[in-house]
Amino acid sequence: MILGIGTDLANIDRIAAVLERHGDRFRSRVFTDTEQAKAEGRPLAVAATYAKRWAAKEACSKALGTGLRMGIAWRDMAVTNLHTGQPVMHLTGWAAERLAQMLPPGHEALVHVTLTDDHPWAQAFVVIEARPLAR
């Protein structure tokens, strides 16, 4: 069953301007070390990589039903990639607590995320699914 759906559209040029203006302060407040390493390792797409992850965090907070309020922190949501390139959303802290509150008994949560960009836009969709535990 679907517990939540969220989407967000981020302007890559806006994220590039914020990176230019606030640099490490912005990176450290919003992105995990792993996310920063991924973005900084893509010299031709640094801003686009950050923008996709920004959009994913916004979309995830919407799927959690809170938006970025009620104690959720940017770094409570993080995107990594499988070796295939597929993005994976990880929840910790308050985001993980909120997910646990949403989850019906006898179910496990799956957080699906997809990312795309086409300059100047980056977009993310997040779907939170509750799947019955195997017996």
Side-chain angles (χ1 to χ4, degrees):
M1 93 182 64
I2 303 299
L3 298 180
I5 300 172
T7 185
D8 193 66
L9 187 65
N11 185 287
I12 295 168
D13 294 332
R14 179 175 161 260
I15 297 297
V18 172
L19 288 165
E20 180 70 27
R21 190 169 42 255
H22 299 288
D24 287 340
R25 194 175 104 210
F26 171 68
R27 284 181 192 88
S28 296
R29 185 173 67 90
V30 176
F31 302 101
T32 65
D33 293 343
T34 302
E35 290 173 312
Q36 291 177 52
K38 173 75 171 181
E40 298 301 326
R42 303 185 72 210
L44 299 178
V46 172
T49 303
Y50 279 123
K52 286 187 283 190
R53 278 147 180 76
W54 171 280
K57 292 167 188 266
E58 287 272 8
C60 186
S61 71
K62 293 171 186 175
L64 289 168
T66 64
L68 286 161
R69 58 186 177 95
M70 297 176 59
I72 199 166
W74 287 101
R75 292 172 59 108
D76 286 348
M77 302 166 287
V79 178
T80 62
N81 295 85
L82 300 177
H83 73 279
T84 60
Q86 177 184 345
V88 178
M89 179 67 71
H90 304 275
L91 303 181
T92 59
W94 193 89
E97 291 174 22
R98 171 66 181 146
L99 180 59
Q101 293 169 356
M102 296 170 65
L103 200 58
H107 288 74
E108 65 179 339
L110 294 144
V111 181
H112 306 279
V113 60
T114 186
L115 310 172
T116 191
D117 68 283
D118 187 8
H119 195 270
W121 301 107
Q123 186 173 30
F125 287 93
V126 172
V127 175
I128 300 175
E129 174 188 3
R131 182 170 61 186
L133 292 170
R135 295 184 188 222

